Amino acid sequence: MKLLVTGGAGFIGSAFVRLVLAERPDCRIVNLDKLTYAGNLENLASVADSPRYSFVKGDIADGPFVMDLFAAEKPDAVVHFAAESHVDRSILSPDPVVRTNFYGTFCLLEAARVHGVARFQHVSTDEVYGSIEEPHDADEQYPLKPSSPYSASKAGADLLALSYRTTYKLPVTVTRASNNYGPYHFPEKLIPLMISNALEDKPLPIYGDGRQIRDWLYVDDHCRAVLAVLEKGRPGEVYNVGGSLALENVEVVRRILAATGKPESLMKTVADRPGHDRRYAITSEKIERETGWQPCMPFDDGLALTVQWYRDNTDWVRRVKSGEYRDYYEKNYAQR
Ligand code: NAD
Ligand code: DAU
């Protein structure tokens, strides 16, 4: 089985590559990644020498390049993680977000169709449902109501992928996961940003009243869900993947401060995110029923592991927080 994994140098994609190489000895992986600011080959140092792993640097939105790659590699299946994944960056600069998330997905679908790929697993997000009013939890039939350029580009890509199933019979599956956290998470997202700022005694910027709700999922639980759908999911189907744990942002930050031994006085209220979704909440009954998958990591254990990882990997953090990160941080936070 040869898998073409896109975005395998990012946070979740690299966890998926490590998991598959460790647990599926019959799988080979070709990792296609553009190495944007979020792509980091250090995340794959432990597998770089594996004879079952190879890396190709390239852009999923370069159609001719993608078509040639499929002709050369002839993958059996595609697991598509590559994306511009950060909502705040999508608000500041939507152009690369739409290009990669929507047009890049199109280029991959076209190449998969032309080359008759046996499975296309599209990795998406619960953000496509938009903000969900209490007391509802979204199942896979819930209407799509994305709020940001990021979530709208992902919703568009989901629909395009599903249209390839309906129109061309390409065996597409779609997973929509909730907020991931864990090691190697780029420190622009809530949990890694708050951990790394707390460890450096820097202010922790809370958007608005901080009472927005997110459902937290440990990254390895997400990767096992993607693998379960790849192996057992039904073509043409969408599967929600949640951690069954809804927490307000301020509660998450308080737990991070407790885990790092830092004072609550580091919390700083800043201007809210434009179009900020208030609440995400999904039900994962379908994937549990059809594949047997369940999230395993309790949040406080996962958070403790994650905090320890950031304590142990200060060189990784220092490198990713240099250069481009400083410009982004200034742009996103200076005016708040
Ligand atoms: P990430 O930002 O950490 O990594 C994205 C990867 O994609 C990087 O390695 C980057 O170099 C690569 N990439 C970006 N543009 C590319 C292009 N044009 N061509 C090739 N490679 C490109 O993202 P992540 O958090 O690991 O998310 C992975 C996927 O999971 C995304 O599709 C995202 O929408 C989805 N998702 C993320 C979360 C989350 O909480 N992080 C939750 C649900 C779904
Ligand atoms: O729900 C899945 C999605 O989760 C994924 O599709 C996205 O790729 C991923 O980035 C994430 O999106 P969010 O916008 O929910 O995650 P983020 O970590 O950016 O923010 C989580 C919450 O924390 C959100 O309510 C905004 C808030 N926040 C975030 C940052 C970065 C703050 O209060 N302060 C901050 O500095």
Side-chain angles (χ1 to χ4, degrees):
M1 175 76 145
K2 188 191 253 191
L3 297 184
L4 178 70
V5 174
T6 71
F11 164 49
I12 306 171
S14 65
F16 183 80
V17 170
R18 296 191 300 271
L19 174 79
V20 170
L21 290 174
E23 298 194 359
R24 294 293 183 275
D26 55 337
C27 272
R28 281 178 293 151
I29 289 183
V30 178
N31 173 15
L32 166 60
D33 197 297
K34 187 179 175 184
L35 298 182
T36 67
Y37 76 91
N40 187 345
L41 291 177
E42 286 183 51
N43 302 358
L44 294 161
S46 63
V47 298
D49 294 335
S50 166
R52 293 186 289 118
Y53 169 78
S54 60
F55 175 71
V56 177
K57 184 173 176 188
D59 184 349
I60 60 164
D62 179 344
F65 161 78
V66 169
M67 201 60 86
D68 287 350
L69 182 70
F70 274 65
E73 294 288 353
K74 299 184 177 46
D76 298 300
V78 176
V79 186
H80 174 33
F81 291 94
E84 289 290 342
S85 68
H86 191 34
V87 173
D88 292 321
R89 287 188 191 250
S90 85
I91 294 168
L92 292 170
S93 323
D95 189 303
V97 177
V98 175
R99 185 173 180 276
T100 287
N101 298 4
F102 188 72
Y103 188 71
T105 301
F106 162 71
C107 295
L108 291 165
L109 287 165
E110 263 302 276
R113 175 179 77 82
V114 168
H115 290 280
V117 163
R119 185 57 76 97
F120 191 105
Q121 161 49 33
H122 174 64
V123 178
S124 187
T125 168
D126 66 353
E127 290 206 26
V128 297
Y129 301 118
S131 201
I132 294 168
E133 293 282 328
E134 299 245 32
H136 305 290
D137 289 351
D139 65 11
E140 291 80 358
Q141 306 303 321
Y142 208 79
L144 304 186
K145 204 163 163 263
S147 308
S148 68
Y150 164 71
S151 51
S153 67
K154 294 293 291 187
D158 287 18
L159 296 179
L160 192 63
L162 291 168
S163 82
Y164 269 64
R165 166 67 184 168
T166 308
T167 309
Y168 304 113
K169 308 294 173 235
L170 185 69
V172 168
T173 46
V174 176
T175 48
R176 293 186 180 142
S178 63
N179 286 61
N180 283 218
Y181 69 101
Y184 299 99
H185 205 178
F186 195 85
E188 64 189 355
K189 311 277 169 55
L190 180 77
I191 287 186
L193 185 140
M194 298 297 169
I195 294 174
S196 75
N197 279 17
L199 291 175
E200 294 172 24
D201 297 304
K202 290 193 175 140
L204 310 190
I206 314 273
Y207 295 167
D209 66 4
R211 303 204 51 198
Q212 303 82 7
I213 291 176
R214 296 293 183 267
D215 169 316
W216 292 99
L217 174 68
Y218 192 67
V219 62
D220 291 352
D221 280 334
H222 182 192
C223 292
R224 286 183 195 286
V226 170
L227 193 54
V229 169
L230 181 70
E231 293 176 342
K232 300 179 198 161
R234 288 180 295 132
E237 295 295 317
V238 177
Y239 296 89
N240 286 347
V241 185
S244 306
L245 178 88
L247 287 176
E248 289 187 351
N249 292 340
V250 281
E251 175 58 22
V252 172
V253 175
R254 281 200 189 98
R255 293 195 198 188
I256 289 170
L257 288 167
T260 51
K262 300 291 179 173
E264 292 204 358
S265 56
L266 283 179
M267 289 163 77
K268 183 181 172 220
T269 299
V270 299
D272 209 348
R273 171 185 279 174
H276 200 168
D277 286 331
R278 193 72 182 161
R279 176 174 177 265
Y280 294 150
I282 51 173
T283 157
S284 309
E285 277 163 23
K286 182 175 174 182
I287 186 175
E288 294 184 11
R289 191 176 61 247
E290 291 193 17
T291 73
W293 173 87
Q294 283 201 321
C296 298
M297 182 65 84
F299 183 71
D300 286 324
D301 295 354
L303 192 62
L305 275 175
T306 306
V307 168
Q308 192 57 47
W309 190 88
Y310 283 87
R311 283 190 194 282
D312 292 342
N313 289 276
T314 48
D315 285 349
W316 183 94
V317 175
R318 187 177 39 75
R319 279 194 288 275
V320 302
K321 283 177 85 166
S322 63
E324 188 275 348
Y325 182 83
R326 279 196 228 129
D327 298 339
Y328 161 73
Y329 202 87
E330 180 67 17
K331 220 194 267 174
N332 194 47
Y333 292 98
Q335 306 305 323
R336 282 201 136 95

